[in-house]
Amino acid sequence: MEAFTYNPILKSSGLPLVLPRKPLRPPAPGTALVLVPRKGDLLTIRHGESIPDAWYGTYRHTYLVDLREHRLVLHIPLLSSDPAFGFPSLVRLNCRVAEPDEIVSRGITDVSGALYLPIQSMLRRVSRNYDIGELHRAEDALTESIRGFSGDAALRLRNITVELVVDNGEILASGRAYREIERETRLMEMRRERHLRMLRRDGAEGLVAEIMEREGPRAAYELIAGAEREEHQELLTAWNKVISEAGTELEPWEVVQAERALRDRVTGGSSAPFGGIRSGRLRGSLYAGSATGAGHETPSDAVMEEHGTAENGSHRPSRVRGLKLTKIDDADG
C-alpha cells in the first residue's frame, strides 16, 4: 500500500539509572533498538542480538526504529524550460531504514520530508530541459535520471518512478475545449466546402442568392448595383484615357478600335451578376433620346453610329452618355 510518509521511530523512552525488575529486551523482527549510552556513541541492537549491560543503568534513552520497507508517494512540483509552466509530478519509491543510529542522530521522524529536497533538486536539473508540451519525453528522462539513486547512509531507496500528472479538472476542461475546437473546425470546413461547391456551380449569382437568403432583397440589390457602378466607372475612366491620348501616341485606327471596344462594353450587357440592375441595355439605347435633345439626329442615325458607319460609308464619332463628343478621323481615309 502506498503512503505519503511515515515515522521510522516507532517508540522512544528514557531509562532510569538502575533497572528495577527486568533488563532491556532485544527488538522484534523488522525493528531495531537504538540505545543512547550515558557516555559514548549510539549502540544499535537488531533482532536476535544481545544487549550488553542490560541490567545496569548504562543507557539513558532507547529508540525503537522501524526497519520494514514502505512504498511512498511524493508530490513534487517541477519547473519546465519556461519558468511560467511547471510539471506536477508523483514520485513513487520503496524505502527502508539502512542505519537506525543515523535516523536517531539526525532526528528523522518524516521520511518523505527528509527525501523531498534531494529528490526535487535532482529532478529539476532534468525537467528544466523540457517544454511543457514534451510531457511524455520529460517523464521518461526523469525516471531514467533518478533510477540509480539509492538513498544515503540512513535510508535505502529502490524502484523509483516519476509520473507527470495533470489535474483532473484541467483534463476535463482541456478535453472539452479540444472537442469544441475540433467540432468548430469541422463545421467551418463543411461550410467552406458547401460555399465552394455553390460558387463553382452558380458563380457570383450563387453568392448573391445566398446574400438574399440571409440578408434580404435590398442587400442583394445593393451588391449588384455596386458592382455595376464600379464597372461603369472603370469604363468611363478608360474612355477618358483613350480620348486624352487620341492625338498623341495612338494611331487613328487604334483610337477607333479602342472606342468601338469601349462602346460595346458600355452599350452591351453588364458583367455584374444577373446582367446588372437595368431592365434593358440594347445597342443604341444610349442614343434613344438624342433626337429630341440635339435636334438634328434620328434613331436611325444612332443605330448607324452604333455600327460605326453612316450611309455614305464614312465613320461617325462614337458617343457615350455623359462624355463629350469627339470627332475621330477614319484611319483609312
Side-chain angles (χ1 to χ4, degrees), residues 311-331:
E311 294 178 355
N312 57 4
S314 62
H315 289 276
R316 299 178 62 87
S318 300
R319 298 183 182 182
V320 178
R321 181 182 300 174
L323 295 178
K324 183 178 179 181
L325 297 178
T326 304
K327 181 176 177 58
I328 299 176
D329 296 331
D330 191 348

Side-chain angles (χ1 to χ4, degrees), residues 70-136:
H70 295 263
R71 183 69 174 172
L72 301 182
V73 180
L74 281 69
H75 291 266
I76 302 179
L78 304 173
L79 293 178
S80 65
S81 57
D82 186 347
F85 299 93
F87 295 111
S89 68
L90 292 179
V91 180
R92 293 181 171 86
L93 53 88
N94 288 8
C95 177
R96 66 177 179 83
V97 173
E99 297 295 338
D101 55 342
E102 285 286 333
I103 296 293
V104 173
S105 62
R106 290 163 55 180
I108 298 176
T109 57
D110 180 2
V111 173
S112 294
L115 296 173
Y116 187 92
L117 290 179
I119 293 179
Q120 183 188 49
S121 177
M122 286 186 291
L123 294 179
R124 279 193 172 182
R125 285 197 292 268
V126 178
S127 67
R128 66 189 180 188
N129 298 321
Y130 293 89
D131 186 72
I132 189 68
E134 301 175 304
L135 186 139
H136 298 296

